[in-house]
Amino acid sequence: MKNSPDLTPNDVYWEPALETLPEEELKALQLERLKEVINRAASSPFYQKVFKEYKVDPAKIRSLDDLRRIPFTTKEDLRQWYPYGFLTVPKEKLVRMHSSSGTTGKPTVVFYTRRDLDSWANLVARCMYMTGVRPGDVFQNMMGYGLFTGGLGFHYGAEKIGCLVIPAGPGNTKRQLFLMREFETTVVHIIPSYALYVAEVCKAEGIDPKKEFKLRIAFIGAEPHAEGIRQRIEDFFGIDAFNSYGLSEVNGPGVAFECPYKQGMHLWEDAYIVEIIDPETLEPVPEGEEGELVLTTLTREGMPILRYRTRDLTRIVPGKCPCGRTHKRIARITGRTDDMLIIKGVNIYPIQIERVLMDLPEVGSNYLIEVHKKETGDKLSIKVEVKNDFFYEDMRYLEKLRKKIGRKVREEILVTPKVELVEPNSLPRTEGKAKRVIIKENVNY
Ligand code: ADP
Ligand code: ZN
């Protein structure tokens, strides 16, 4: 870690006993909780129907492997049984509702009891504490408040630790910078694509965050991002940036999080059971291989979800983490199964392109992938922002750069894209999750 205070071994865990539980005990705890949650789920209209159809008898769940007798739950199920079909408690016991961002269609809604909110806040506090956040830190939460889980989810976790929370929300970048300077913000939570934009604004305003701010930690998540993006954020702000993963269907943020070693995200196995499956065959993949992440909630009261197909692609990081936590780690998410593009028969994930671009020092902070749908086969083009220092070089230089980018991308994805270089900060930006891919129907390429 770069700027965090030295941590003593006794001071690194929020819940030492749970975070370092030996594997066998962790499994025993999971089994106990799994039985409970399956029993509870049986009272929801959705699982009542599923258990009947698949002849699942909750009393016969005796081992963790027995979980596989239960079919997967999908986003489609959540949509079909919208809004109350997954509830196991009367509506009067609910105290909060959230919703997914709707990135891939109609948003799904989730409900929380008081106990659910408390255990969620506790998980988020565990994540933040793990990275070195302590009472007295000033936490500026630059994620959307409201239905999106990123804002309130972190808010209560940070309060639990005893941080001073600035509920800034996203956008209004100059005000964000003002808050950071004025209140000596030490920790931020921010969408990675927005963090790059904030860096651009700092440059334009002549602000050197290393000198003018007290920042030491950023939590970045909510959208896939390449390691190069983290590097840029860490280098520019002079901080540690930790990858944060979660999804509203199983609470929100706080599902998996990086520890100071940044070698994968610990997925809290006392709260979730993790499976990685082949999205085509639906069979488990061998440990360490990439597949779709499937999660079972172990502690949710109002709306338990079993074997939820997240559509997110990742793998288990093998081996033990040097931090001493025993909970499995998942690797950086490479995308969603539905993000996959097929160009000339080749499967491509946007993050593969991002990885190439972010490793090139000439490339600025934004890019846009366009897929041109044509009867003769789909074509790929990429608009790439070039950094100020390089954009105003002569035409020959830019042409060489354009070709270099095309070549490097082809080496990675085996398809030659059309590359267009554009001015810094000229591509559209969103306050929320970045939109990296645009599909265009039958237009000139
Ligand atoms: P939506 O699925 O509509 O975007 P959410 O707001 O619940 O709704 O977002 C959860 C999704 O965001 C995850 O399923 C995943 O695809 C993405 N996501 C969240 N955190 C990360 C992360 N650290 N890295 C990559 N993707 C992430
Ligand atoms: Zn660790």
Side-chain angles (χ1 to χ4, degrees):
M1 295 179 71
K2 286 202 194 87
N3 297 330
S4 296
D6 286 341
L7 300 173
T8 65
N10 295 331
D11 191 33
V12 289
Y13 307 115
W14 176 250
E15 293 170 298
L18 278 172
E19 290 174 47
T20 60
L21 211 56
E23 199 181 326
E24 285 313 307
E25 288 175 46
L26 190 51
K27 283 195 175 145
L29 178 67
Q30 283 190 316
L31 180 58
E32 186 191 313
R33 291 186 169 175
L34 180 65
K35 288 179 184 169
E36 273 169 31
V37 83
I38 289 178
N39 267 317
R40 200 176 318 125
S43 67
S44 78
F46 173 75
Y47 285 112
Q48 218 167 57
K49 182 207 88 152
V50 169
F51 287 4
K52 203 166 155 204
E53 202 175 312
Y54 287 81
K55 301 197 174 36
V56 176
D57 177 358
K60 290 207 173 120
I61 302 289
R62 297 200 181 97
S63 71
L64 289 176
D65 285 340
D66 288 341
L67 175 61
R68 291 188 60 198
R69 297 187 191 181
I70 297 170
F72 297 110
T73 301
T74 64
K75 204 163 187 120
E76 217 26 65
D77 294 326
L78 284 168
R79 286 182 180 140
Q80 264 181 24
W81 290 76
Y82 170 99
Y84 299 124
F86 280 73
L87 289 191
T88 61
V89 293
K91 269 197 275 173
E92 296 68 39
K93 277 205 78 182
L94 302 171
V95 294
R96 174 105 60 87
M97 169 184 142
H98 276 291
S99 146
S100 71
S101 313
T103 311
T104 59
K106 184 177 161 189
T108 51
V109 288
V110 277
F111 299 99
Y112 306 74
T113 63
R114 196 174 298 283
R115 205 182 93 186
D116 288 333
L117 287 184
D118 195 56
S119 46
W120 180 26
N122 211 35
L123 284 178
V124 174
R126 192 194 279 184
C127 296
M128 298 177 80
Y129 197 85
M130 169 164 78
T131 66
V133 175
R134 293 294 179 270
D137 265 310
V138 179
F139 173 60
Q140 189 166 329
N141 194 4
M142 296 157 78
M143 285 279 179
Y145 276 74
L147 284 172
F148 176 52
T149 52
L152 288 172
F154 263 77
H155 185 103
Y156 288 104
E159 281 191 355
K160 205 162 201 149
I161 292 181
C163 301
L164 170 61
V165 181
I166 306 180
N172 199 342
T173 308
K174 287 191 184 159
R175 192 188 58 175
Q176 302 281 6
L177 296 174
F178 167 81
L179 292 170
M180 268 181 216
R181 186 186 288 121
E182 200 71 10
F183 300 98
E184 306 195 323
T185 301
T186 52
V187 182
V188 293
H189 178 210
I190 186 166
I191 291 200
S193 50
Y194 182 54
L196 292 184
Y197 178 67
V198 174
E200 294 295 334
V201 175
C202 283
K203 280 183 218 160
E205 302 276 312
I207 296 172
D208 179 355
K210 290 177 191 155
K211 291 204 183 108
E212 296 180 44
F213 297 153
K214 294 264 166 34
L215 271 189
R216 51 186 196 90
I217 291 175
F219 301 124
I220 52 174
E223 66 184 9
H225 55 284
E227 176 63 32
I229 293 213
R230 182 227 302 269
Q231 288 304 328
R232 285 172 179 228
I233 294 170
E234 291 197 331
D235 293 348
F236 183 78
F237 292 98
I239 58 175
D240 276 298
F242 296 94
N243 196 353
S244 147
Y245 172 79
L247 63 163
S248 52
E249 291 88 335
V250 301
N251 268 349
V255 175
F257 217 85
E258 278 179 338
C259 70
Y261 289 90
K262 299 179 187 164
Q263 294 166 9
M265 298 180 275
H266 288 285
L267 194 141
W268 301 122
E269 292 186 89
D270 56 328
Y272 304 98
I273 291 181
V274 51
E275 296 172 82
I276 311 273
I277 61 163
D278 178 326
E280 308 260 298
T281 64
L282 306 185
E283 290 299 316
V285 300
E287 178 143 323
E289 271 181 33
E290 185 168 274
E292 179 180 346
L293 177 70
V294 172
L295 293 172
T296 295
T297 62
L298 291 176
T299 51
R300 290 192 94 198
E301 183 182 46
M303 196 174 163
I305 300 195
L306 310 173
R307 305 194 84 199
Y308 183 64
R309 288 188 61 182
T310 64
R311 307 201 276 191
D312 291 325
L313 294 165
T314 183
R315 61 187 169 80
I316 299 289
V317 177
K320 290 196 169 70
C321 185
C323 77
R325 289 177 183 82
T326 46
H327 300 238
K328 284 196 185 107
R329 288 165 296 163
I330 56 168
R332 178 180 293 287
I333 308 285
T334 51
R336 305 187 195 224
T337 46
D338 27 16
D339 283 344
M340 191 175 78
L341 309 169
I342 305 179
I343 311 279
K344 293 187 182 151
V346 183
N347 299 348
I348 299 166
Y349 284 96
I351 202 164
Q352 293 176 277
I353 297 173
E354 178 172 297
R355 221 181 279 146
V356 172
L357 297 178
M358 290 301 144
D359 282 348
L360 293 170
E362 302 91 341
V363 169
S365 61
N366 207 357
Y367 66 93
L368 186 65
I369 299 169
E370 290 181 346
V371 177
H372 306 264
K373 294 262 167 212
K374 296 184 87 79
E375 277 153 23
T376 48
D378 296 350
K379 298 269 167 81
L380 186 70
S381 69
I382 312 174
K383 292 189 167 134
V384 183
E385 283 187 6
V386 178
K387 278 192 192 146
N388 240 325
D389 303 352
F390 303 95
F391 191 73
Y392 302 101
E393 293 280 343
D394 66 44
M395 291 307 285
R396 275 199 7 241
Y397 172 87
L398 286 180
E399 183 54 19
K400 256 172 74 183
L401 176 61
R402 202 180 68 75
K403 286 201 171 127
K404 178 165 102 177
I405 293 174
R407 201 173 58 244
K408 295 248 176 211
V409 171
R410 191 188 61 227
E411 278 165 20
E412 171 70 31
I413 64 172
L414 309 175
V415 167
T416 310
K418 182 169 152 183
V419 177
E420 189 186 333
L421 302 182
V422 299
E423 257 184 281
N425 299 323
S426 60
L427 292 173
R429 290 181 187 272
T430 51
E431 267 182 13
K433 305 183 185 221
K435 192 159 172 47
R436 300 297 197 191
V437 181
I438 289 186
I439 311 283
K440 295 193 153 175
E441 301 287 340
N442 256 321
V443 286
N444 285 336
Y445 169 65

